[in-house]
Amino acid sequence: MLSGLKQIMVSGLKQMSRFILRVAVFVGIIVVFMGGVAVSGYMGSQKSFWGSVRQEPVPSLEGAPIPVHDPNKPTVAVLLGNENTEGLDFAIPYELFSMTGAYNVYAVAAEKQVRSLTGGLDVMPHYSFDELDRLLGKSADIIAIPYMTMRNPKNFEPVREWILRHKETVLLSICAGADNLAATGLLDGKSAATHWQTMPVLTKKYPEVSWINDRRYVANGPKLISSAGISSGIDAVLHVIAQQLGEPAAAKIADELKYPSYHFVQNPQVEPFYVDLRYATYVLNNAFQWSKKKAGVLLYDGVEEMALASVFDIYSDTGTTRVLSVSGTARPIVTKHGLIAIARHSMSDLPKLDKMIVPGTQAKLRATEEIERWNEQGKRTELQFVHADSPNRFLFEVQLEDLARQEDLLTAKHAVKRLEFRADDIRLEGKPMPLETYAELLFTFAVSLLAAYYTDKRFFRKQKLPRGGQGSRTLS
């Protein structure tokens, strides 16, 4: 009797162990399958934004003009990294300082080779570091430091060394460019701002820095300034302009841009941003939205730098859209303030597009030849003048509203927060949530569930009867 009871107990333990193993395998297959799909999708989306490096041949740059140097003006050097540079982090200081007419403003890199901004916009630096040093015979008067990726520290080293050689000049970091500035050690023992998404990382990476999360920008005197996330860079640049040229000059720039948040220039105190459920939408869009829309962006001479970069930045970073630079000519284009940009596609070699954006508040006047060429080729995609159709509004507002209509409210609201855009008059209308993303998430879960069920049925639910039995039986 005891022997029989022992056998029952052993058999029960085996069945329990087998059941636990089956559950673990079942859950594990679902987790691994969904995790693999999510990681693959997320990494691919991130690469298309943060790692979009030009693969196409570079057209001849002969004759591409460089802004004339005026030795009587102070010089602003806006840096380009050796990997990718965040587009709006670069374009904001480039355009705002240029708009004053009081500075020489140059795009500068370690070498004079084509550099890629996030999302797939390619630009040519005006000067290499050494060339600018020889031209000036001294430091640039202001060095603007956008976020430059540092996947390979060796690639960043020339940038770091050049900043350190000119550490006595005015240093202005934009958004997560504080990471690049902090990497030099020049922020040690000082206060700094950065983007709210990078704040948890940088507080651990650079504990010697006092990170401030409730200001649009932080000034350690007149020569060391750091801004919080993207649109906060506008406030930081206008602060520097006000300090150097006077407050009316900064106010004039804000008025020309129709910038609605100028009051932050004088008082940068704000309620801090933190990660919330909107960030989950961003992650899921990147991971599970497979059928990404394709948006073309028409490059033309005279386009404003922020308008151009913002299309790549706002749409592409959501994980919902691939943005393609398009030109009607093989030559480089020259933006309103002399930046040299190069398209990756001509009108004749475009894939099918969902939309075609012509950026810039003066697009209908400045891009007439390109618009005519587009229409002559019989392109069916209607041109969208996202800025020119709303010339009395700030460019971020109209694009965020268009994004909400294209995608959904949750996606657009995260984009607003990512930009740290705090205006009250933005009007978002659209679907409440990214239905396509959640549908593909549920589809992935269903496929993983079937895979787990098949594996369980094939390998665990059937086993031979003990010797003396007939056939086989199924364990439930």
Side-chain angles (χ1 to χ4, degrees):
M1 183 175 178
L2 289 176
S3 176
L5 182 59
K6 183 177 179 181
Q7 287 180 351
I8 292 172
M9 293 177 62
V10 169
S11 176
L13 288 172
K14 286 182 178 181
Q15 289 186 21
M16 179 62 71
S17 298
R18 188 175 185 82
F19 176 76
I20 293 172
L21 177 61
R22 286 173 58 193
V23 170
V25 171
F26 199 91
V27 173
I29 289 172
I30 294 174
V31 170
V32 170
F33 189 94
M34 292 197 67
V37 171
V39 169
S40 176
Y42 187 85
M43 296 301 291
S45 297
Q46 291 289 292
K47 183 177 180 181
S48 72
F49 184 73
W50 291 108
S52 183
V53 178
R54 185 182 183 92
Q55 304 297 329
E56 298 80 3
V58 176
S60 172
L61 298 174
E62 185 177 353
I66 295 177
V68 176
H69 181 72
D70 185 343
N72 296 314
K73 292 181 179 179
T75 295
V76 179
V78 187
L79 301 189
L80 290 164
N82 286 334
E83 295 176 344
N84 275 82
T85 303
E86 213 288 336
L88 276 173
D89 287 5
F90 172 86
I92 286 170
Y94 186 93
E95 181 168 351
L96 266 60
F97 282 119
S98 296
M99 287 175 70
T100 67
Y103 300 94
N104 301 302
V105 183
Y106 301 124
V108 185
E111 296 178 355
K112 194 174 178 180
Q113 297 177 355
V114 171
R115 293 289 185 260
S116 296
L117 304 181
T118 47
L121 177 60
D122 302 315
V123 298
M124 172 62 73
H126 297 119
Y127 295 105
S128 69
F129 292 156
D130 290 341
E131 287 173 339
L132 185 65
D133 287 345
R134 288 195 296 270
L135 174 69
L136 300 179
K138 63 181 184 65
S139 294
D141 298 275
I142 300 171
I143 297 176
I145 306 171
Y147 176 59
M148 298 163 277
T149 58
M150 297 185 287
R151 292 181 292 270
N152 183 346
K154 290 184 179 180
N155 290 337
F156 180 66
E157 194 59 28
V159 183
R160 179 180 179 274
E161 290 176 356
W162 192 77
I163 294 172
L164 284 170
R165 286 205 303 271
H166 301 290
K167 63 183 179 181
E168 300 302 326
T169 195
V170 175
L171 300 176
L172 166 62
S173 71
I174 307 294
C175 190
D179 188 357
N180 304 99
L181 181 55
T184 66
L186 296 175
L187 285 177
D188 289 357
K190 298 183 174 62
S191 300
T194 188
H195 194 285
W196 60 271
Q197 288 179 209
T198 62
M199 184 68 75
V201 176
L202 299 193
T203 51
K204 294 179 180 179
K205 188 175 181 181
Y206 305 107
E208 300 85 1
V209 180
S210 176
W211 295 101
I212 307 297
N213 68 352
D214 61 352
R215 291 183 214 166
R216 299 276 285 178
Y217 64 87
V218 172
N220 294 274
K223 286 194 171 184
L224 194 62
I225 304 99
S226 57
S227 85
I230 301 176
S231 70
S232 301
I234 298 173
D235 303 329
V237 174
L238 292 176
H239 165 77
V240 173
I241 290 172
Q243 293 294 305
Q244 296 198 354
L245 305 180
E247 195 276 334
K252 180 175 180 291
I253 299 300
D255 184 63
E256 289 178 12
L257 288 171
K258 307 296 187 290
Y259 181 55
S261 304
Y262 182 70
H263 57 281
F264 288 127
V265 177
Q266 298 170 320
N267 179 17
Q269 197 81 25
V270 290
E271 287 293 321
F273 283 125
Y274 299 99
V275 174
D276 60 15
L277 288 177
R278 282 172 287 190
Y279 193 72
T281 297
Y282 170 77
V283 172
L284 291 175
N285 279 340
N286 276 266
F288 289 104
Q289 189 163 133
W290 306 324
S291 302
K292 300 187 189 300
K293 294 179 176 63
K294 290 186 176 65
V297 180
L298 188 62
L299 276 58
Y300 60 90
D301 290 334
V303 61
E304 298 102 315
E305 294 80 11
M306 283 173 58
L308 180 58
S310 63
V311 178
F312 289 86
D313 209 315
I314 289 174
Y315 295 91
S316 183
D317 183 65
T318 63
T320 67
T321 310
R322 295 278 187 265
V323 183
L324 311 177
S325 57
V326 184
S327 177
T329 176
R331 66 172 177 80
I333 69 102
V334 181
T335 66
K336 184 175 182 179
H337 300 103
L339 182 66
I340 302 167
I342 307 165
R344 295 187 184 181
H345 298 271
S346 68
M347 291 183 184
S348 59
D349 70 355
L350 277 174
K352 184 179 179 181
L353 298 175
D354 295 287
K355 63 198 310 178
M356 183 65 173
I357 298 172
V358 188
T361 59
Q362 300 297 312
K364 294 179 181 179
L365 297 175
R366 294 181 178 272
T368 52
E369 291 185 13
E370 288 79 5
I371 294 168
E372 183 178 347
R373 189 176 293 115
W374 178 265
N375 292 329
E376 285 176 351
Q377 293 196 9
K379 300 294 186 181
R380 294 185 178 180
T381 308
E382 184 179 353
L383 297 177
Q384 182 177 342
F385 298 90
V386 66
H387 305 123
D389 284 343
S390 301
N392 295 318
R393 300 190 66 202
F394 183 55
L395 58 94
F396 288 4
E397 294 175 328
V398 293
Q399 283 179 233
L400 290 164
E401 290 172 359
D402 180 68
L403 176 65
R405 290 189 294 270
Q406 173 189 305
E407 297 299 330
D408 60 273
L409 295 179
L410 284 180
T411 297
K413 286 178 179 178
H414 177 266
V416 172
K417 184 176 176 180
R418 172 184 172 265
L419 292 173
E420 297 200 20
F421 187 60
R422 295 176 181 265
D424 296 326
D425 61 344
I426 187 167
R427 301 180 292 274
L428 302 179
E429 298 176 350
K431 297 178 296 186
M433 63 183 64
L435 300 177
E436 183 179 356
T437 295
Y438 289 121
E440 288 167 352
L441 172 64
L442 291 174
F443 174 78
T444 305
F445 176 73
V447 172
S448 65
L449 197 64
L450 287 173
Y453 175 79
Y454 174 80
T455 302
D456 180 65
K457 183 177 180 181
R458 176 70 176 82
F459 296 103
F460 289 95
R461 296 186 67 185
K462 292 184 178 181
Q463 72 172 29
K464 298 276 187 178
L465 279 170
R467 195 173 288 179
Q470 297 180 1
S472 63
R473 62 184 175 89
T474 301
L475 292 178
S476 59

